[in-house]
């Protein structure tokens, strides 16, 4: 695994005046960056998705997060795919 991504989760916290707010929590993990295949890109585009990045990570490190960060840019995780007993692929789309 030669890249680092950050998986983003949310945690409810109570601020100083007693309001509940959501705060982001970042978990850095190692990942293998892979290319989006042409077939995958066009199939996703037909249903309105725009896959930009694909990473392979260890399944045990992925906790159903909905967002990820790579090179200071946040992405939405639009699909996951189990590639082996211990690895999973994350397909990312840019967040606007």
């Amino acid at each position: 695994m030669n890249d680092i991504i950050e998986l983003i989760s949310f945690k409810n916290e109570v601020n100083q005046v007693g309001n509940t707010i959501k705060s982001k929590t970042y978990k850095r993990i190692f990942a293998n960056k892979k290319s989006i295949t042409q077939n995958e890109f066009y199939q996703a585009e037909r249903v309105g998705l725009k896959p930009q990045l694909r990473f392979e990570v260890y399944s045990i490190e992925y906790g159903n997060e909905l967002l990820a960060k790579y090179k200071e840019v946040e992405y939405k995780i639009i699909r996951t795919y189990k590639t082996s007993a211990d690895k999973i692929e994350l397909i990312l789309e840019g967040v606007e």
Side-chain angles (χ1 to χ4, degrees):
M1 306 260 175
N2 54 4
D3 275 302
I4 293 177
I5 65 172
E6 293 180 272
L7 298 176
I8 303 170
S9 57
F10 294 91
K11 184 169 76 171
N12 287 330
E13 294 180 340
V14 177
N15 67 10
Q16 295 171 341
V17 294
N19 295 327
T20 301
I21 57 171
K22 284 187 178 184
S23 64
K24 290 182 181 179
T25 303
Y26 297 87
K27 177 173 60 171
R28 294 177 65 130
I29 63 170
F30 289 102
N32 280 333
K33 185 177 178 187
K34 296 184 163 193
S35 297
I36 299 290
T37 64
Q38 186 176 15
N39 184 40
E40 183 174 38
F41 177 82
Y42 287 114
Q43 284 183 349
E45 193 173 62
R46 276 186 249 171
V47 294
L49 300 174
K50 293 180 173 46
Q52 294 176 308
L53 297 169
R54 179 170 67 148
F55 289 97
E56 184 177 57
V57 301
Y58 286 106
S59 303
I60 196 162
E61 295 183 309
Y62 177 65
N64 295 318
E65 288 87 355
L66 301 176
L67 298 173
K69 187 174 180 180
Y70 178 66
K71 293 189 176 180
E72 301 304 318
V73 178
E74 288 190 7
Y75 297 89
K76 185 166 94 171
I77 299 171
I78 58 173
R79 186 172 79 86
T80 61
Y81 177 74
K82 193 160 181 99
T83 57
S84 68
D86 64 338
K87 292 183 182 168
I88 190 169
E89 282 186 355
L90 308 176
I91 311 299
L92 308 181
E93 173 182 66
V95 175
E96 295 181 15

